[in-house]
Amino acid sequence: MEVTCLSIVQRRTTVLLITCLQIASLFVVLPVNSTTFNGTNNSVDRAALLAIKSLIRDDPQDVTSSWNESYHFCQWQGVTCSSRHRRVIILDLSSSGLVGSLSPSIGNMSFLRTILLQNNSLSGETPQQLGRLFRLQELRINNNSFEGNIPSSLSNCSNLKVLHLGINKLVGKIPYEFGSLTMLRFFIVHRNNLTGGIPSFIGNLSLLETFSLGGCNLVGSIPDIFHRLKNLKRLAFPDNELVGTIPPSIYNLSLLESLFLDNNHLHGTLETNLVFLQPRIQEISVPNNQLTDSVAK
């Protein structure tokens, strides 16, 4: 009888011990790091920003002087982070007089939605790594000295709405892969050293509002694809080597406000009633062509 009672007590003690251990385990405090807390390691963004700073040779406005250990990188000048993940969503270094090149590490900041680098003196190639930024909606690198081909990898940025590459030293053709950028509204590449003609895939970009390819040394004729671009407001192909006639579909753009075709080799007749066909028209410039019945000289 004593043995039986002892066995019961031992079993109850064991059960009680196990229960206490289970309860205690609920109060164990695990170490918290940036990966656990944020769901992602935002130190990647900090490293990318420092890599960008390392390739800037001259910063006359001291824009990146705050990019140091004294501040969290979300407080650095020109940097905006999301409140939830504390990841960089906007990089704005526009009009800062920066001299240098753009680090490929910019492609590691996967939460970036807006990149504003316009009006600087940045040079070198435009990194193909920009194509990793699938959240990117706006890319402005205009008025710099970027060289090389336009990165075809940008076609991976399926949310891109604004692509402004104007006034650089870019060469080559406009990548045919850009036909997949169906969210694009502003496509501006004027004043570069491109080759080839106006790509017909532009007709796939049905949301396009502004299309500018002036001063790019383009050749060939203007493709008749504008009947698909119902939202187009501004169309500019001046200062090229374009030949042929003005496509009829341009006359059917009901929202068209500006048309610039000057300094090409276009011939034929420009409909004198274009202003009446398109009541929104505010600017038309077509001089230095072989057009007749021109409404602007």
Side-chain angles (χ1 to χ4, degrees):
M1 185 69 178
E2 292 179 357
V3 173
T4 303
C5 291
L6 180 60
S7 299
I8 292 173
V9 171
Q10 288 176 336
R11 286 198 296 270
R12 287 181 176 175
T13 302
T14 301
V15 171
L16 180 61
L17 179 60
I18 293 172
T19 302
C20 291
L21 289 173
Q22 289 174 335
I23 293 173
S25 68
L26 297 177
F27 295 93
V28 174
V29 179
L30 297 175
V32 177
N33 55 33
S34 59
T35 301
T36 303
F37 185 74
N38 292 322
T40 182
N41 190 350
N42 58 17
S43 63
V44 172
D45 286 359
R46 182 180 180 279
L49 289 168
L50 291 176
I52 291 172
K53 179 180 179 178
S54 70
L55 294 184
I56 295 176
R57 300 191 304 273
D58 189 18
D59 181 5
Q61 299 179 25
D62 292 327
V63 174
T64 61
S65 61
S66 63
W67 294 24
N68 55 55
E69 296 288 346
S70 301
Y71 305 94
H72 188 276
F73 68 84
C74 289
Q75 297 176 301
W76 292 354
Q77 186 173 345
V79 176
T80 301
C81 292
S82 62
S83 57
R84 180 182 178 185
H85 298 291
R86 304 300 286 166
R87 299 293 302 272
V88 179
I89 58 174
I90 300 175
L91 179 62
D92 184 359
L93 300 176
S94 58
S95 304
S96 300
L98 300 177
V99 178
S101 57
L102 182 59
S103 171
S105 296
I106 194 171
N108 295 335
M109 293 190 285
S110 58
F111 277 67
L112 268 175
R113 298 176 187 172
T114 301
I115 299 174
L116 305 176
L117 299 176
Q118 69 269 27
N119 305 323
N120 284 293
S121 297
L122 299 173
S123 57
E125 293 193 356
T126 310
Q128 287 281 350
Q129 288 80 359
L130 287 168
R132 299 176 184 171
L133 305 176
F134 64 92
R135 292 182 173 90
L136 192 63
Q137 298 180 16
E138 183 174 359
L139 175 61
R140 296 180 185 267
I141 62 170
N142 50 296
N143 198 17
N144 280 285
S145 297
F146 284 108
E147 305 164 349
N149 294 318
I150 299 173
S152 59
S153 61
L154 286 172
S155 61
N156 298 324
C157 304
S158 57
N159 291 301
L160 202 59
K161 297 179 180 178
V162 178
L163 180 57
H164 198 334
L165 310 176
I167 315 179
N168 278 289
K169 298 178 180 179
L170 300 172
V171 299
K173 296 182 178 181
I174 298 174
Y176 71 89
E177 292 92 344
F178 282 11
S180 64
L181 295 175
T182 55
M183 300 296 290
L184 206 58
R185 294 179 180 272
F186 299 88
F187 187 21
I188 306 172
V189 201
H190 65 265
R191 293 180 62 183
N192 280 284
N193 301 317
L194 303 182
T195 56
I198 299 171
S200 59
F201 67 70
I202 296 299
N204 298 334
L205 312 182
S206 60
L207 298 180
L208 207 60
E209 297 178 20
T210 295
F211 185 31
S212 176
L213 290 175
C216 288
N217 302 317
L218 298 178
V219 298
S221 59
I222 303 175
D224 194 14
I225 43 84
F226 298 97
H227 57 284
R228 308 182 211 169
L229 306 181
K230 305 298 184 181
N231 297 294
L232 199 62
K233 297 178 181 179
R234 288 168 288 277
L235 182 62
F237 302 146
D239 305 310
N240 282 295
E241 301 294 329
L242 299 174
V243 298
T245 60
I246 298 175
S249 56
I250 287 182
Y251 298 112
N252 296 320
L253 294 172
S254 60
L255 298 182
L256 192 64
E257 298 175 358
S258 303
L259 177 63
F260 295 94
L261 301 174
D262 40 300
N263 299 316
N264 280 286
H265 306 291
L266 301 173
H267 64 268
T269 301
L270 177 68
E271 295 187 22
T272 55
N273 59 348
L274 178 61
V275 175
F276 300 100
L277 288 172
Q278 310 299 346
R280 294 177 181 266
I281 283 284
Q282 300 175 11
E283 299 175 286
I284 301 175
S285 182
V286 293
N288 299 323
N289 283 285
Q290 287 80 52
L291 298 168
T292 59
D293 294 326
S294 176
V295 297
K297 296 183 179 180

